[in-house]
């Protein structure tokens, strides 16, 4: 799955909704909307960074040398 492709956008929206609802429903503090939005946004950013790191080594023209 490449970053910012069709599948990435769909997974990001699903992740955002799940994290937002988990934090919004389970929180009794007065600032629960802000906390839920921040946590959901951070989850989507973490997902995107993970995909960049995962796809960084794919189709690499210069693989690491064998040190054995």
């Amino acid at each position: 799955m490449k970053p910012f492709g069709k599948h990435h956008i769909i997974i990001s929206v699903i992740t955002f909704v799940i994290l937002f609802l988990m934090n919004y429903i389970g929180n009794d503090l007065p600032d629960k909307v802000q906390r839920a939005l921040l946590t959901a946004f951070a989850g989507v950013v973490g997902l995107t960074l993970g995909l960049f790191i995962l796809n960084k080594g794919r189709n690499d023209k210069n693989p690491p040398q064998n040190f054995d």
Side-chain angles (χ1 to χ4, degrees):
M1 180 168 51
K2 66 178 184 174
F4 300 113
K6 178 182 172 185
H7 297 292
H8 178 253
I9 301 294
I10 293 170
I11 298 294
S12 294
V13 168
I14 292 171
T15 302
F16 184 87
V17 169
I18 290 172
L19 287 174
F20 178 80
L21 289 177
M22 284 176 60
N23 285 293
Y24 185 78
I25 293 171
N27 196 353
D28 294 332
L29 298 175
D31 63 342
K32 66 181 180 178
V33 174
Q34 290 88 358
R35 286 180 185 234
L37 284 173
L38 187 63
T39 303
F41 181 71
V44 171
V45 169
L47 176 74
T48 304
L49 288 175
L51 278 176
F52 275 126
I53 292 170
L54 180 69
N55 286 330
K56 183 179 177 184
R58 299 227 174 142
N59 299 327
D60 192 8
K61 303 286 186 211
N62 299 321
Q65 295 181 3
N66 189 0
F67 291 110
D68 291 340

